[in-house]
Amino acid sequence: MLFSDNFLFTLTSILLGKDRTSRELEFSNMSRRSSRSSTMDQGEFILECKAAYLSMFDSIKEKIESQDSLLEALQQTGRNPSVKILKKYWTNDTDELSFDDFVDICKKEPVTTSDDLMKAFRKIDINGDGYISLEELHKILTSKGEKKSKSEVKKMIDEVDENKDGRLDYKEFCQMVMSTTEESKKMQRKMMERKEKKKRQDIERRGDVSGSQVSVRSAASSVKNQEKSSSHAYIGNGIGTPAGSRKSSLLSIGEGSPPIPAQRKSLLHTASSSDPDDLPRPSPRVKKDKSRQGSVSRAHKLDEPKNLREWTHTKSKGSFFMEDGSLICHQYDFNLPDDSKIWITIQPQKGSRGMDSSPVDTSVFILRDRPDEDGNLLVAFTEHRDSRGKYGVSCDLSAGKYYIMPYTTGCRFKSRKSESGKEAKLVSQDKGGKYVITKSFRKVLEDIFDYSDLDGNGFMSRKEFNLFNIRTSGEEVADEEWQVVEDRIDLEDGEITKAGFLQLNELEAEDSEGDTEDLWTTLVSMGYNKQLVMDQACPFQLDVYTEDCDDAELDVVRVDSYPTYPGDLSFDDIISKSFIKQGEISRVKGMKDLCMYTYTNDGWATLVLDNKSHTRVRVELDCSRSENVTSNHDSLQRTLRVDPGSTVIAYHLMPEDDDRDWQVKCTETIR
């Protein structure tokens, strides 16, 4: 008889959590007795904990980052703590737990025994016949923990009901739980041993010497001409207000808050007042006929470090937003306490598509927090990608503070030109006349919640909700407004649940009596059109790995347009300098001091005009003879004015169809 983890963990956790108050003293005493009588020595105990930990994480250096992860890790050791016990170790102030913390918890909490399970089952075996019926089990599973329907409970019983009589022989079940737990522990130990053996083999292959800090690294994953200075720069923290933002914050409340315009009642006011193979460069070559051209193959190769599973990993979700032709995105601070080799990747989240339904290109630029001795802010950026659109970069960083800036060229992620079609219905009235949100709107809100849950723990923290509110209303969440959230909707460990987020929007729909203006403001701010299709936003996944630093911090600090940098430099100024440094140069005929630089990587080509003269020039560029390309502009022909002493990104170009070769052909004329 085999049991799924879902059935075992769900049932044992609920049973052992039932009537926990009366059992705490018994469990405490049992834990001490178990500790005294156990023949397992300290070393064996640590190994068992380590094996369980490594069944979930790649390294014991990784941290447990949610209460759910803590529960799962403890269940891997044969422990089934109640919610109350979990909250003892994962409080409102807990952000993460280390492996050492996990070991300490395992020392304090007892392993679930067969006797524990039998006692729990006997309490719900009403007639004492040794079986649990569908009705008895349904009563438990709908009164404790996650509420389950009768059909769901029946499916669970069917999973273990061999003779199909609709009952569970809990004595046999308990024996199988213990057997399954032991088998799981053996498998965990084998997995750990395989990982450690592979780690030793990797070290031997690299030729590492014990005590040496020198290691041989693959040149394939290094960044061309990368800058390795540890100098740093200041970037201002502007907060942008989206066009068409709400007339007031979603979270404005009555007393002590600014007056709320009569035409807009706040949601929380309502709540409180109512119950790559390397590619040939696709750069145009200098031709006597003034035509520049180059072809590009379709091969891609992203050389991921071979021992990446041993590196420390941190991640965050984020989004690009298109607003009035300008790019807005989540931006990050990256604090690195120790020198380390890093590996950063970015990719659009599943389902993120451009205006032509192709995957949006995403990249990352790493900036210092102050210029180096040569005045450079840019350290490195993602140039290589795999066939699925993931871009990555590897480089060595000195300890310090950096800025991680996501970027997209705009070749596929563009402003919507027009909008047609029937407007989707957001609100309806039930039989009692109450205003409720529609199923289609509810589904979109669930997606918005998932995209706004930046750490991916299934909840929305105050910081995450604050960033959401800034995006949709241009206002931060004040303390008194957050207090309203805590008082009026479902929270778990101080964070908003998905149900609570939906409740906020339901309250707004009810308060507005069917007026959907503010609901549409939220949707438009989050990139949706009138048919509830996301075409002006692109959610992405950012992953940062550090080889030699265990406590690097990735912190999302704003959702905004790109700030101005020291020296009054724009983000385009900084990346243009890098494209010029790594691009191929050709002088524009008739202009001694006007150059065209063509930079290429695995995903796109960029043309940059650099005017070193003392006069403004007008340049007409014609890329219309290019093959299988799309650009960040509406037309492949355009005229640019380039001011004296300035640079301009003339075009970003990339394949229109990723499955075909593409070719860039461009000519320029001085006007």
Side-chain angles (χ1 to χ4, degrees):
M1 187 186 302
L2 298 176
F3 303 91
S4 70
D5 287 347
N6 177 62
F7 182 80
L8 293 180
F9 291 157
T10 300
L11 188 52
T12 54
S13 293
I14 292 174
L15 288 172
L16 294 173
K18 181 176 173 62
D19 198 23
R20 181 75 190 201
T21 303
S22 64
R23 299 175 65 243
E24 283 178 347
L25 180 59
E26 176 188 347
F27 259 64
S28 177
N29 292 335
M30 184 191 74
S31 180
R32 288 192 289 270
R33 289 195 304 270
S34 175
S35 177
R36 288 194 298 267
S37 62
S38 176
T39 58
M40 182 185 295
D41 60 26
Q42 181 71 6
E44 184 68 18
F45 171 74
I46 296 297
L47 280 177
E48 186 174 285
C49 292
K50 183 179 179 181
Y53 204 83
L54 292 178
S55 69
M56 291 182 57
F57 303 103
D58 294 331
S59 166
I60 60 171
K61 294 179 180 180
E62 289 190 43
K63 303 296 179 67
I64 296 174
E65 297 181 342
S66 70
Q67 182 175 299
D68 287 343
S69 293
L70 174 59
L71 173 60
E72 185 178 348
L74 289 171
Q75 288 172 336
Q76 296 297 327
T77 68
R79 291 163 173 80
N80 289 277
S82 67
V83 173
K84 184 176 181 180
I85 291 297
L86 279 176
K87 289 184 176 181
K88 182 170 71 172
Y89 300 110
W90 195 278
T91 67
N92 291 336
D93 297 325
T94 305
D95 293 322
E96 59 184 25
L97 293 173
S98 67
F99 172 68
D100 289 340
D101 296 328
F102 175 69
V103 172
D104 288 339
I105 295 172
C106 289
K107 287 179 181 177
K108 297 172 184 176
E109 295 303 319
V111 173
T112 301
T113 68
S114 180
D115 286 343
D116 299 327
L117 283 172
M118 289 295 291
K119 289 178 182 177
F121 267 116
R122 289 188 186 111
K123 289 185 178 181
I124 62 171
D125 181 8
I126 299 174
N127 57 15
D129 62 356
Y131 293 89
I132 300 298
S133 67
L134 172 62
E135 287 73 20
E136 291 169 327
L137 191 57
H138 178 256
K139 181 178 179 181
I140 294 301
L141 293 178
T142 54
S143 63
K144 298 290 181 181
E146 182 183 353
K147 304 299 185 290
K148 294 188 177 295
S149 67
K150 197 162 186 176
S151 62
E152 288 175 315
V153 175
K154 185 177 185 303
K155 287 180 181 179
M156 294 176 72
I157 284 189
D158 287 345
E159 186 177 347
V160 294
D161 182 14
E162 288 190 327
N163 59 9
K164 307 302 178 185
D165 63 354
R167 300 187 302 171
L168 175 65
D169 182 337
Y170 60 80
K171 182 177 181 180
E172 181 183 358
F173 174 78
C174 292
Q175 292 171 348
M176 292 305 298
V177 167
M178 304 315 297
S179 174
T180 302
T181 300
E182 289 306 311
E183 287 299 319
S184 177
K185 289 181 179 180
K186 290 177 182 178
M187 184 61 69
Q188 292 164 12
R189 185 70 66 94
K190 289 180 180 178
M191 289 173 59
M192 179 181 69
E193 290 170 353
R194 283 198 296 267
K195 285 184 178 181
E196 292 181 341
K197 181 179 179 180
K198 184 178 182 300
K199 183 177 180 181
R200 289 194 300 270
Q201 291 173 340
D202 288 341
I203 292 174
E204 290 169 1
R205 280 196 296 268
R206 293 201 308 265
D208 288 356
V209 180
S210 178
S212 170
Q213 296 184 19
V214 179
S215 62
V216 180
R217 295 190 174 110
S218 169
S221 62
S222 66
V223 179
K224 295 184 296 181
N225 302 319
Q226 72 182 22
E227 304 163 26
K228 296 182 180 180
S229 171
S230 60
S231 326
H232 316 298
Y234 168 76
I235 298 179
N237 289 320
I239 295 176
T241 301
S245 60
R246 296 169 180 267
K247 303 180 186 73
S248 68
S249 166
L250 285 174
L251 298 179
S252 297
I253 57 175
E255 193 172 346
S257 300
I260 301 174
Q263 67 270 33
R264 170 70 173 95
K265 292 184 179 180
S266 145
L267 184 152
L268 283 189
H269 177 80
T270 303
S272 60
S273 60
S274 67
D275 266 275
D277 297 334
D278 289 339
L279 299 175
R281 301 176 70 83
S283 59
R285 305 294 182 180
V286 179
K287 300 290 181 181
K288 292 182 179 179
D289 63 357
K290 300 185 294 182
S291 175
R292 311 168 187 278
Q293 59 183 317
S295 62
V296 184
S297 71
R298 290 170 287 153
H300 302 294
K301 186 176 182 181
L302 188 62
D303 290 319
E304 180 180 288
K306 291 182 173 59
N307 61 336
L308 191 62
R309 293 175 66 86
E310 300 170 15
W311 295 25
T312 301
H313 177 210
T314 184
K315 62 185 178 180
S316 177
K317 290 187 282 190
S319 292
F320 295 109
F321 300 98
M322 189 60 69
E323 184 177 293
D324 297 330
S326 296
L327 186 64
I328 290 172
C329 65
H330 288 92
Q331 300 164 28
Y332 306 81
D333 283 356
F334 180 56
N335 293 291
L336 190 68
D338 305 303
D339 297 355
S340 180
K341 187 177 184 68
I342 69 164
W343 170 253
I344 297 182
T345 64
I346 186 171
Q347 61 185 326
Q349 289 189 44
K350 186 176 180 180
S352 298
R353 299 283 168 174
M355 297 296 289
D356 60 355
S357 299
S358 301
V360 174
D361 58 292
T362 56
S363 57
V364 163
F365 288 76
I366 308 170
L367 308 182
R368 302 176 178 87
D369 76 334
R370 62 175 64 94
D372 65 8
E373 56 187 14
D374 298 322
N376 296 315
L377 285 171
L378 182 64
V379 179
F381 62 98
T382 51
E383 298 185 84
H384 300 292
R385 74 179 181 106
D386 64 17
S387 59
R388 294 171 296 179
K390 178 195 289 186
Y391 280 81
V393 61
S394 176
C395 62
D396 294 286
L397 293 183
S398 299
K401 182 178 180 180
Y402 299 86
Y403 302 111
I404 306 296
M405 311 299 287
Y407 184 69
T408 183
T409 62
C411 292
R412 291 176 176 168
F413 185 52
K414 300 179 180 180
S415 293
R416 183 194 306 129
K417 298 306 176 186
S418 61
E419 190 168 5
S420 60
K422 185 178 180 181
E423 182 178 290
K425 191 173 183 180
L426 305 183
V427 176
S428 62
Q429 283 183 287
D430 61 17
K431 294 180 180 179
K434 180 181 178 181
Y435 288 97
V436 296
I437 60 178
T438 61
K439 289 183 178 180
S440 56
F441 183 33
R442 177 180 293 271
K443 176 61 173 68
V444 168
L445 288 172
E446 290 175 345
D447 290 341
I448 289 175
F449 179 90
D450 292 336
Y451 296 140
S452 301
D453 170 24
L454 303 180
D455 61 8
N457 71 340
F459 303 94
M460 194 183 291
S461 66
R462 175 172 176 174
K463 182 175 182 178
E464 291 167 339
F465 187 61
N466 189 57
L467 289 168
F468 164 79
N469 207 57
I470 288 171
R471 177 66 204 136
T472 57
S473 73
E475 298 180 2
E476 296 199 51
V477 180
D479 290 342
E480 61 271 20
E481 295 166 343
W482 181 251
Q483 184 62 52
V484 173
V485 174
E486 292 180 324
D487 292 342
R488 305 303 301 173
I489 67 170
D490 296 333
L491 297 183
E492 186 165 325
D493 295 328
E495 298 188 323
I496 299 173
T497 63
K498 184 176 289 187
F501 181 72
L502 293 172
Q503 187 181 352
L504 279 176
N505 287 274
E506 287 169 340
L507 286 169
E508 183 169 19
E510 187 176 355
D511 176 59
S512 63
E513 297 181 345
D515 187 339
T516 60
E517 180 182 356
D518 290 321
L519 297 176
W520 275 116
T521 297
T522 294
L523 290 169
V524 171
S525 298
M526 295 303 292
Y528 287 85
N529 63 20
K530 295 298 184 180
Q531 288 76 51
L532 300 183
V533 175
M534 180 187 283
D535 62 355
Q536 296 293 275
C538 172
F540 58 79
Q541 173 75 37
L542 181 67
D543 292 270
V544 181
Y545 299 83
T546 54
E547 183 179 26
D548 310 307
C549 181
D550 296 335
D551 51 355
E553 295 180 355
L554 180 67
D555 184 28
V556 56
V557 292
R558 68 179 72 82
V559 52
D560 200 359
S561 54
Y562 298 105
T564 299
Y565 299 85
D568 201 29
L569 294 174
S570 69
F571 186 68
D572 274 1
D573 291 333
I574 294 171
I575 64 176
S576 293
K577 187 175 181 179
S578 177
F579 295 153
I580 287 174
K581 184 175 180 179
Q582 301 190 52
E584 294 187 1
I585 183 174
S586 60
R587 299 190 184 281
V588 178
K589 186 175 180 179
M591 286 292 297
K592 176 182 177 181
D593 296 319
L594 180 64
C595 299
M596 170 83 82
Y597 291 86
T598 305
Y599 163 79
T600 64
N601 64 30
D602 284 358
W604 78 83
T606 297
L607 307 182
V608 180
L609 288 169
D610 183 20
N611 182 12
K612 297 183 182 299
S613 72
H614 298 288
T615 59
R616 176 186 292 177
V617 296
R618 293 177 70 241
V619 184
E620 182 181 286
L621 293 179
D622 184 356
C623 299
S624 61
R625 293 193 299 130
S626 298
E627 298 176 13
N628 185 34
V629 300
T630 184
S631 81
N632 59 323
H633 295 286
D634 294 335
S635 173
L636 291 175
Q637 293 176 285
R638 63 189 301 244
T639 299
L640 300 92
R641 293 183 178 183
V642 189
D643 290 331
S646 68
T647 60
V648 173
I649 295 178
Y651 274 110
H652 291 304
L653 301 154
M654 67 186 304
E656 188 169 31
D657 182 350
D658 282 327
D659 294 329
R660 295 166 46 212
D661 292 346
W662 55 295
Q663 189 174 51
V664 176
K665 298 178 182 179
C666 186
T667 60
E668 69 281 341
T669 307
I670 302 300
R671 295 297 185 186

